[in-house]
């Protein structure tokens, strides 16, 4: 009877420990622990293609899809992802401001967290989300041309 209680207690502790571990940091459902070759295959399955003219095959790849309004740039070392960034192509400052707000609100809801916003001006806004195992930054920089980026960086 004592052995049953000890076994049950050990199983309960193991279950509790597994629940408390954070899920791996991910980019749109693709874990940062995914090898780069699988990451590329997964994005190609989603309709993205490698832009070889814009890629540096030693450290970064650029991928684009005609269905999306952004390009994906990701940095890696060996088979390990270091960072992923979406670069949005929009034509007006108003459209980038509206999309920045939509992306910020969507991440706030998805992560159930308030962002740290160190800059909140009309044409320059930054929202940093702490996703426990990584940081997601939504950055708007409307200077001469509208620029909107979303960066995913795992914590080291």
């Amino acid at each position: 009877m004592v052995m049953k209680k000890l076994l049950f207690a050990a199983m309960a502790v193991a279950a509790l420990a597994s629940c408390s571990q954070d899920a791996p940091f991910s980019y749109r459902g693709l874990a940062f622990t995914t090898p780069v070759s699988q990451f590329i295959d997964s994005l190609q399955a989603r309709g993205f293609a490698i832009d070889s003219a814009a890629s540096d095959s030693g450290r970064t790849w650029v991928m684009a899809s005609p269905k999306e309004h952004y390009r994906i740039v990701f940095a890696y070392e060996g088979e390990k992802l270091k960072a992923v960034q979406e670069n949005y192509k929009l034509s007006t400052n108003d459209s980038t401001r509206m999309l920045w707000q939509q992306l910020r609100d969507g991440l706030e809801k998805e992560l159930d967290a308030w962002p740290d916003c160190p800059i909140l001006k009309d044409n320059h806004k930054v929202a940093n989300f702490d996703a426990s195992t990584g940081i997601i930054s939504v950055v708007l920089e409307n200077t001469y041309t509208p620029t909107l980026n979303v960066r995913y960086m795992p914590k080291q």
Side-chain angles (χ1 to χ4, degrees), residues 30-128:
L30 298 173
F32 264 71
T33 55
T34 304
V36 171
S37 54
Q38 281 184 305
F39 188 81
I40 291 171
D41 291 344
S42 297
L43 289 174
Q44 286 176 330
R46 294 178 183 189
F48 285 87
I50 294 174
D51 181 349
S52 57
S55 296
D56 168 7
S57 61
R59 295 192 181 129
T60 61
W61 285 105
V62 177
M63 298 186 81
S65 170
K67 295 183 248 173
E68 300 294 343
H69 296 289
Y70 59 88
R71 298 169 65 106
I72 300 169
V73 179
F74 60 93
Y76 63 95
E77 189 174 303
E79 276 293 306
K80 185 176 181 184
L81 284 172
K82 294 292 186 182
V84 176
Q85 179 171 301
E86 296 173 346
N87 297 326
Y88 286 81
K89 296 278 186 187
L90 299 164
S91 58
T92 67
N93 287 348
D94 287 340
S95 60
T96 55
R97 282 193 284 276
M98 287 188 325
L99 185 54
W100 181 90
Q101 190 65 48
Q102 290 171 353
L103 291 168
R104 179 199 173 278
D105 293 346
L107 285 167
E108 185 178 306
K109 188 174 184 178
E110 178 184 331
L111 299 171
D112 194 28
W114 288 94
D116 172 33
C117 296
I119 301 172
L120 276 176
K121 299 177 182 175
D122 281 344
N123 289 317
H124 190 189
K125 301 175 188 229
V126 176
N128 296 317

Side-chain angles (χ1 to χ4, degrees), residues 129-144:
F129 291 89
D130 187 343
S132 72
T133 55
I135 302 291
I136 302 172
S137 298
V138 184
V139 181
L140 169 74
E141 294 177 296
N142 285 338
T143 51
Y144 300 107

